DNA sequence: AGTGGTGGGATCGTATATTATTTCGTACAC
DNA sequence: GTGTACGAAATAATATACGATCCCACCACT
């Protein structure tokens, strides 16, 4: 009656959820038998779920050794964030023409709520609202592949950054400001390319801020590779 | 001795290969037991492989019913190609600064070979060389995620278009021409954004040509959504 | 003390068997 | 003639069991 979800699906969703919400933090070792027992299923569906999560990059897997939640790694962070910027920028541009005035209003309301969280230090809420904000932007996206890429990127970032990946101290206020500008652009019916770059650079600036704050990885150039920016 | 690949991996690679080369054409029904027997393994690893391929979009899967190779569908084609254009454009821009003069020379050689295939009608060879061409472009890409997205896109297109997805009658010659221009841009050390858009529009023009040739899907606008283009 | 080998424990990998679900054909009733 | 209900066959889904592999600690030998 409850849509009779398969046990593989159950294992997949449960593990993914636990990675996202931090119950399984980066490096946590995922033992098939233990998880299977815990969920009341056999090891086979758990293994299947873990292989899927491996394909998404959420867990690392080694044959005959086991799986663990993907580790926190600045380089990982950079390329993932870069890819997310690419995909989100595109998704924004494609979605914008399909957004209703009501959609824009909802996005503004969420952004206002984000501004309120700045009064207190609350990275988790900030990140959650940030996801909601972008979710509103993308919900009219007619390209399901791109949407899927966005969601995978988010799942990765959540796993890597423990639920606060959008929040960089000293950058949050600008982020809210840029959101507002982005909505203005959308309302003004701006050019698709202009929108895409605005949305992309919004993420890339967060990336730069993060790298500046936590230190850039070794050989990777910190300039964000693509955009209008100053070289 | 042969790196002792797991049977799941074997099943995965074999099925993917057969989808790519057309042994399993779109719509072909993948029956667990039959494939398992054929490969000399049990049904469990085959099931796992099929679930992974489902996650990549290469096969469609329905619970308790079975799997089949993803069907040919103009809308599918459009969004996949659009996504591929996005990702390839970005990959080109990111890779370009890392390309050596030798890399560019190799790409030119492949492009010359493509020009030769225009003498005869040979879509399969054309598409293969086209993949080689872009592979050279991307092999210096420092972002593995983006590369992975490219490869998945290619696999999808192969599955959907039966090994000739880059070839649209009447467009091949322009394609070769645009490749040459792209290489010129790279050699001239062009701006990253300029490169990205050039590479993206190269794919999008192929998409438009395809849609014009085979007919556009129903409600989807044929203009390629993003780019400098004439609106 | 350092190095190489060896055994045990833990864990994954897969085959087999069982169960649950769906589908399709057939027969019966209307 | 058509629609429905029932049953058998096909197939996927999972559990269980066993085998293969890897890691680690301990011990012997140098």
């Amino acid at each position: 009656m409850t849509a009779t979800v398969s046990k593989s699906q159950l294992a997949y969703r449960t593990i993914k959820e636990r990675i996202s919400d931090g119950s399984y933090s980066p490096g946590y070792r995922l033992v098939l038998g233990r998880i299977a027992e815990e969920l009341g299923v056999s090891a086979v569906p758990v293994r299947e779920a873990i292989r899927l999560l491996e394909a998404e990059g959420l867990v690392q897997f080694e044959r005959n050794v086991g799986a663990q939640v993907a580790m926190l790694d600045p380089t990982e962070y950079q390329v993932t964030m870069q890819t997310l910027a690419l995909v989100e920028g595109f998704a924004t541009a494609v979605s914008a023409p399909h957004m209703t005035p009501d959609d824009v209003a909802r996005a503004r309301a969420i952004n206002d709520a984000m501004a309120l969280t700045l009064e207190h230090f609350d990275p988790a809420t900030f990140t959650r609202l940030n996801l909601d904000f972008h979710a509103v932007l993308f919900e009219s996206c007619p390209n399901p592949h791109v949407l899927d890429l966005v969601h995978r990127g988010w799942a990765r970032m959540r796993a890597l950054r423990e639920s606060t990946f959008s929040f960089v101290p000293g950058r949050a206020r600008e982020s809210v400001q840029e959101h507002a500008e982005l909505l203005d652009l959308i309302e003004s019916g701006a050019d698709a390319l202009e929108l895409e770059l605005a949305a992309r650079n919004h993420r890339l600036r967060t990336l730069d801020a993060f790298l500046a704050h936590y230190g850039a990885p070794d050989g990777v150039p910190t300039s964000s590779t693509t955009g209008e920016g100053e070289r």
Side-chain angles (χ1 to χ4, degrees), chain A residues 137-168:
Chain A
L137 250 54
F138 304 149
E139 69 191 13
S140 351
C141 180
N143 185 329
H145 289 314
V146 166
L147 270 187
D148 185 55
L149 295 181
V150 169
H151 290 133
R152 289 193 183 203
W154 284 357
R156 274 183 85 78
M157 297 310 292
R158 262 191 282 237
L160 295 172
R161 276 279 101 199
E162 303 180 23
S163 305
T164 64
F165 69 85
S166 294
F167 187 89
V168 180

Side-chain angles (χ1 to χ4, degrees), chain A residues 7 10-11 15 18 24 30-47 50:
Chain A
K7 305 205 175 172
L10 178 120
I15 298 173
R18 291 189 181 174
Y24 297 154
L30 302 168
V31 179
L32 289 192
R34 199 136 41 215
I35 297 178
E37 190 181 7
E38 196 179 329
L39 300 183
V41 300
S42 124
V44 177
V46 175
R47 172 182 152 80
I50 286 182

Side-chain angles (χ1 to χ4, degrees), chain A residues 68-80:
Chain A
Q68 60 179 26
V69 179
M71 299 290 284
L72 184 69
D73 169 3
T75 303
E76 242 331 272
Y77 183 87
Q78 200 208 26
V79 295
T80 301

Side-chain angles (χ1 to χ4, degrees), chain A residues 95-109 136 139-140 183 186-187:
Chain A
S95 299
H98 300 100
M99 284 181 76
T100 67
D102 180 60
D103 292 332
V104 178
R106 279 163 53 223
R108 272 198 208 285
V136 171
E139 69 191 13
S140 351
L183 291 176
I186 291 174
E187 278 187 328

